[in-house]
Amino acid sequence: KSFKQKKTILSLNNISLSFQKRQILQNISFEINQGEIFGMLGPNGVGKSTIFNLVTGLIKPDKGNIVIKDEKVNDYPIFLRMAKFKIGYVPQYGGYFYDLSLFENLKAVGEVLIKNPRDRIEKINYLTSKFDLESIRDIKAKFLSGGQKKKLVIAMALLGNPELLLLDECFAALDVMTIKMLQQIIVNLQSENRITICICDHQARDLLSCVDVAIVLSDGKVIAKGTPSELVKNPNAQTAYFGDSFKFN
Protein backbone atom coordinates (compact mmCIF):
# COMPACT_ATOMS: atom_id res chain seq x y z
CA LYS A 1 0.00 0.00 0.00
CA SER A 2 1.25 3.45 -0.90
CA PHE A 3 0.36 4.89 2.52
CA LYS A 4 2.56 2.43 4.38
CA GLN A 5 5.60 4.49 5.29
CA LYS A 6 9.02 3.59 6.59
CA LYS A 7 8.43 5.95 9.49
CA THR A 8 8.64 4.45 12.96
CA ILE A 9 5.64 5.13 15.21
CA LEU A 10 6.60 2.79 18.08
CA SER A 11 9.88 1.21 19.09
CA LEU A 12 10.99 -0.91 22.03
CA ASN A 13 14.71 -0.61 22.66
CA ASN A 14 16.48 -3.26 24.77
CA ILE A 15 13.49 -3.82 27.04
CA SER A 16 13.95 -6.22 29.94
CA LEU A 17 11.42 -7.12 32.63
CA SER A 18 11.27 -9.60 35.51
CA PHE A 19 8.46 -10.63 37.87
CA GLN A 20 9.55 -12.10 41.21
CA LYS A 21 12.97 -13.15 39.86
CA ARG A 22 11.41 -14.69 36.75
CA GLN A 23 12.77 -13.15 33.55
CA ILE A 24 9.84 -12.30 31.25
CA LEU A 25 11.55 -10.18 28.59
CA GLN A 26 15.26 -10.09 27.78
CA ASN A 27 16.61 -7.16 25.77
CA ILE A 28 13.58 -7.03 23.47
CA SER A 29 13.95 -4.64 20.53
CA PHE A 30 11.62 -4.07 17.59
CA GLU A 31 9.88 -1.22 15.79
CA ILE A 32 6.50 -0.70 14.17
CA ASN A 33 6.20 1.59 11.16
CA GLN A 34 3.35 3.99 10.53
CA GLY A 35 0.44 2.38 8.67
CA GLU A 36 1.63 -1.18 9.34
CA ILE A 37 -0.33 -4.15 10.62
CA PHE A 38 2.20 -5.74 12.96
CA GLY A 39 1.81 -9.16 14.58
CA MET A 40 3.32 -10.84 17.63
CA LEU A 41 3.39 -14.62 17.93
CA GLY A 42 4.69 -16.94 20.60
CA PRO A 43 3.68 -19.63 23.10
CA ASN A 44 1.73 -18.97 26.30
CA GLY A 45 3.59 -16.93 28.90
CA VAL A 46 6.19 -15.59 26.50
CA GLY A 47 5.32 -11.95 27.23
CA LYS A 48 3.03 -10.79 24.40
CA SER A 49 0.38 -9.24 26.65
CA THR A 50 3.18 -7.90 28.88
CA ILE A 51 4.50 -5.93 25.90
CA PHE A 52 1.06 -4.31 25.49
CA ASN A 53 1.07 -3.45 29.21
CA LEU A 54 4.46 -1.81 28.75
CA VAL A 55 3.33 0.19 25.73
CA THR A 56 0.18 1.46 27.47
CA GLY A 57 2.07 2.30 30.66
CA LEU A 58 0.38 -0.19 32.96
CA ILE A 59 3.82 -1.46 33.95
CA LYS A 60 7.36 -0.10 33.59
CA PRO A 61 10.37 -1.97 32.21
CA ASP A 62 13.32 -2.82 34.44
CA LYS A 63 15.55 -1.40 31.73
CA GLY A 64 15.32 -0.13 28.18
CA ASN A 65 13.22 2.56 26.52
CA ILE A 66 9.76 2.73 24.97
CA VAL A 67 9.66 5.37 22.23
CA ILE A 68 6.48 6.63 20.57
CA LYS A 69 6.82 9.13 17.72
CA ASP A 70 10.47 9.82 18.61
CA GLU A 71 9.63 10.56 22.26
CA LYS A 72 10.68 8.42 25.22
CA VAL A 73 7.53 7.61 27.21
CA ASN A 74 8.76 5.41 30.08
CA ASP A 75 7.62 7.93 32.71
CA TYR A 76 4.33 8.97 31.08
CA PRO A 77 1.25 7.92 33.11
CA ILE A 78 -1.34 5.76 31.33
CA PHE A 79 -3.98 8.39 30.54
CA LEU A 80 -1.51 11.01 29.31
CA ARG A 81 0.33 8.46 27.18
CA MET A 82 -2.86 7.12 25.59
CA ALA A 83 -4.29 10.60 24.97
CA LYS A 84 -1.16 12.40 23.75
CA PHE A 85 -0.09 9.66 21.35
CA LYS A 86 -3.61 8.55 20.41
CA ILE A 87 -3.35 4.90 21.42
CA GLY A 88 -6.38 2.61 21.43
CA TYR A 89 -6.34 -0.70 23.31
CA VAL A 90 -8.58 -3.76 22.95
CA PRO A 91 -7.86 -6.16 25.85
CA GLN A 92 -8.11 -9.94 25.59
CA TYR A 93 -10.96 -10.08 28.12
CA GLY A 94 -13.67 -7.58 28.97
CA GLY A 95 -13.10 -3.96 28.08
CA TYR A 96 -16.79 -3.05 28.38
CA PHE A 97 -19.41 -2.42 31.10
CA TYR A 98 -21.38 -5.65 31.51
CA ASP A 99 -24.67 -4.15 32.69
CA LEU A 100 -24.77 -1.27 30.20
CA SER A 101 -26.26 -1.56 26.74
CA LEU A 102 -24.04 -1.42 23.67
CA PHE A 103 -25.04 2.22 23.10
CA GLU A 104 -24.53 3.12 26.76
CA ASN A 105 -21.02 1.63 26.64
CA LEU A 106 -20.11 3.79 23.66
CA LYS A 107 -21.73 6.84 25.27
CA ALA A 108 -19.85 6.36 28.55
CA VAL A 109 -16.46 6.28 26.83
CA GLY A 110 -17.49 8.99 24.36
CA GLU A 111 -18.28 11.39 27.21
CA VAL A 112 -14.66 11.13 28.34
CA LEU A 113 -13.06 11.37 24.90
CA ILE A 114 -15.38 13.67 22.89
CA LYS A 115 -16.43 16.93 24.52
CA ASN A 116 -18.92 18.17 21.94
CA PRO A 117 -22.26 16.28 22.40
CA ARG A 118 -23.18 16.51 18.71
CA ASP A 119 -19.77 15.22 17.60
CA ARG A 120 -20.04 12.45 20.19
CA ILE A 121 -23.41 11.18 18.92
CA GLU A 122 -22.25 11.44 15.29
CA LYS A 123 -19.17 9.35 16.07
CA ILE A 124 -21.20 6.74 17.97
CA ASN A 125 -23.74 6.50 15.14
CA TYR A 126 -20.93 6.20 12.59
CA LEU A 127 -19.25 3.35 14.49
CA THR A 128 -22.47 1.43 15.16
CA SER A 129 -23.24 1.66 11.44
CA LYS A 130 -19.68 0.78 10.37
CA PHE A 131 -19.67 -2.37 12.51
CA ASP A 132 -23.31 -3.27 11.78
CA LEU A 133 -24.38 -2.89 15.43
CA GLU A 134 -27.56 -0.81 15.04
CA SER A 135 -29.93 -3.73 15.62
CA ILE A 136 -28.35 -4.58 18.99
CA ARG A 137 -27.55 -1.10 20.32
CA ASP A 138 -30.05 -1.40 23.20
CA ILE A 139 -28.99 -4.89 24.30
CA LYS A 140 -26.86 -5.20 27.43
CA ALA A 141 -23.25 -6.03 26.65
CA LYS A 142 -23.28 -9.17 28.80
CA PHE A 143 -25.88 -10.73 26.47
CA LEU A 144 -23.93 -10.12 23.25
CA SER A 145 -22.13 -12.89 21.36
CA GLY A 146 -18.34 -13.13 21.43
CA GLY A 147 -18.00 -11.48 18.04
CA GLN A 148 -20.43 -8.71 18.93
CA LYS A 149 -18.55 -7.99 22.15
CA LYS A 150 -15.28 -7.82 20.25
CA LYS A 151 -16.75 -5.40 17.72
CA LEU A 152 -18.11 -3.27 20.57
CA VAL A 153 -14.72 -3.05 22.31
CA ILE A 154 -12.98 -2.18 19.03
CA ALA A 155 -15.60 0.52 18.43
CA MET A 156 -14.99 1.87 21.95
CA ALA A 157 -11.26 1.99 21.25
CA LEU A 158 -11.89 3.92 18.02
CA LEU A 159 -13.91 6.68 19.71
CA GLY A 160 -10.69 8.58 20.43
CA ASN A 161 -9.53 8.39 16.78
CA PRO A 162 -6.39 6.39 17.64
CA GLU A 163 -3.35 6.40 15.41
CA LEU A 164 -2.04 3.20 17.03
CA LEU A 165 -4.45 0.37 17.89
CA LEU A 166 -3.37 -2.55 20.10
CA LEU A 167 -5.37 -5.78 19.80
CA ASP A 168 -4.67 -8.43 22.45
CA GLU A 169 -5.75 -11.98 21.48
CA CYS A 170 -8.54 -10.62 19.30
CA PHE A 171 -9.27 -13.98 17.60
CA ALA A 172 -9.40 -16.04 20.79
CA ALA A 173 -12.47 -18.27 21.32
CA LEU A 174 -14.24 -17.06 18.16
CA ASP A 175 -15.75 -19.09 15.34
CA VAL A 176 -14.29 -19.13 11.82
CA MET A 177 -16.81 -16.70 10.31
CA THR A 178 -16.36 -14.19 13.13
CA ILE A 179 -12.58 -14.37 12.74
CA LYS A 180 -12.93 -13.67 8.99
CA MET A 181 -15.15 -10.69 9.82
CA LEU A 182 -12.59 -9.32 12.30
CA GLN A 183 -9.75 -9.80 9.82
CA GLN A 184 -11.69 -7.71 7.30
CA ILE A 185 -12.36 -5.03 9.93
CA ILE A 186 -8.64 -4.87 10.76
CA VAL A 187 -7.57 -4.53 7.14
CA ASN A 188 -10.26 -1.90 6.51
CA LEU A 189 -9.13 0.11 9.53
CA GLN A 190 -5.66 0.18 8.06
CA SER A 191 -6.65 1.06 4.51
CA GLU A 192 -9.57 3.43 5.22
CA ASN A 193 -8.52 5.08 8.50
CA ARG A 194 -4.71 4.87 8.15
CA ILE A 195 -4.44 3.32 11.60
CA THR A 196 -1.27 1.48 12.64
CA ILE A 197 -2.29 -1.82 14.23
CA CYS A 198 -0.43 -4.22 16.51
CA ILE A 199 -1.95 -7.67 17.11
CA CYS A 200 -0.90 -10.55 19.30
CA ASP A 201 -2.65 -13.90 19.13
CA HIS A 202 -2.14 -17.66 19.43
CA GLN A 203 -4.02 -18.32 16.20
CA ALA A 204 -0.98 -18.19 13.92
CA ARG A 205 -2.78 -18.68 10.59
CA ASP A 206 -5.45 -16.12 11.43
CA LEU A 207 -2.87 -13.55 12.49
CA LEU A 208 -0.55 -14.15 9.53
CA SER A 209 -3.50 -13.77 7.15
CA CYS A 210 -3.91 -10.07 7.96
CA VAL A 211 -0.50 -8.68 9.01
CA ASP A 212 2.24 -7.03 6.97
CA VAL A 213 5.05 -8.14 9.24
CA ALA A 214 5.31 -10.17 12.46
CA ILE A 215 7.75 -11.30 15.12
CA VAL A 216 8.05 -14.58 16.98
CA LEU A 217 8.91 -14.47 20.67
CA SER A 218 10.53 -17.33 22.57
CA ASP A 219 12.19 -17.44 26.01
CA GLY A 220 11.68 -13.69 26.40
CA LYS A 221 13.46 -12.80 23.16
CA VAL A 222 12.60 -11.92 19.56
CA ILE A 223 13.88 -14.90 17.60
CA ALA A 224 12.46 -14.07 14.16
CA LYS A 225 10.92 -11.17 12.25
CA GLY A 226 9.59 -10.84 8.71
CA THR A 227 6.61 -10.99 6.40
CA PRO A 228 4.26 -13.95 6.91
CA SER A 229 5.87 -15.93 4.07
CA GLU A 230 9.36 -15.19 5.38
CA LEU A 231 8.44 -16.04 8.94
CA VAL A 232 7.07 -19.53 8.29
CA LYS A 233 10.30 -20.43 6.46
CA ASN A 234 12.52 -19.09 9.23
CA PRO A 235 14.31 -22.03 10.92
CA ASN A 236 14.33 -20.35 14.34
CA ALA A 237 10.58 -19.74 14.16
CA GLN A 238 9.95 -23.30 12.97
CA THR A 239 11.96 -24.79 15.81
CA ALA A 240 10.54 -22.61 18.59
CA TYR A 241 6.95 -22.11 17.49
CA PHE A 242 5.55 -23.33 14.17
CA GLY A 243 6.99 -26.84 13.98
CA ASP A 244 7.86 -28.67 10.76
CA SER A 245 4.30 -29.41 9.62
CA PHE A 246 2.88 -25.85 9.78
CA LYS A 247 1.40 -24.70 6.47
CA PHE A 248 0.27 -21.18 5.66
CA ASN A 249 -2.37 -20.42 2.98
Side-chain angles (χ1 to χ4, degrees), residues 155-224:
M156 291 167 70
L158 293 176
L159 280 168
N161 295 317
E163 295 178 12
L164 173 63
L165 182 63
L166 310 176
L167 302 173
D168 191 359
E169 302 282 356
C170 60
F171 303 128
L174 297 176
D175 61 84
V176 173
M177 292 301 294
T178 302
I179 289 171
K180 295 291 183 188
M181 172 199 68
L182 281 178
Q183 288 172 330
Q184 192 61 55
I185 286 172
I186 289 164
V187 173
N188 288 344
L189 287 174
Q190 180 201 45
S191 58
E192 295 172 12
N193 301 80
R194 305 295 192 263
I195 297 175
T196 304
I197 300 169
C198 181
I199 311 170
C200 81
D201 208 278
H202 290 114
Q203 310 292 339
R205 286 184 182 83
D206 297 324
L207 184 143
L208 293 173
S209 294
C210 64
V211 301
D212 299 307
V213 65
I215 59 173
V216 175
L217 296 156
S218 180
D219 294 325
K221 301 174 183 176
V222 177
I223 60 164

Side-chain angles (χ1 to χ4, degrees), residues 10-11 54-55 57 60 65-77 81 84-85 87:
L10 168 68
S11 64
L54 287 164
V55 172
K60 286 186 177 183
N65 295 322
I66 301 163
V67 180
I68 304 175
K69 293 184 179 178
D70 300 321
E71 191 168 345
K72 179 182 170 183
V73 301
N74 289 41
D75 296 324
Y76 277 60
R81 191 184 303 196
K84 179 174 181 177
F85 299 103
I87 301 173

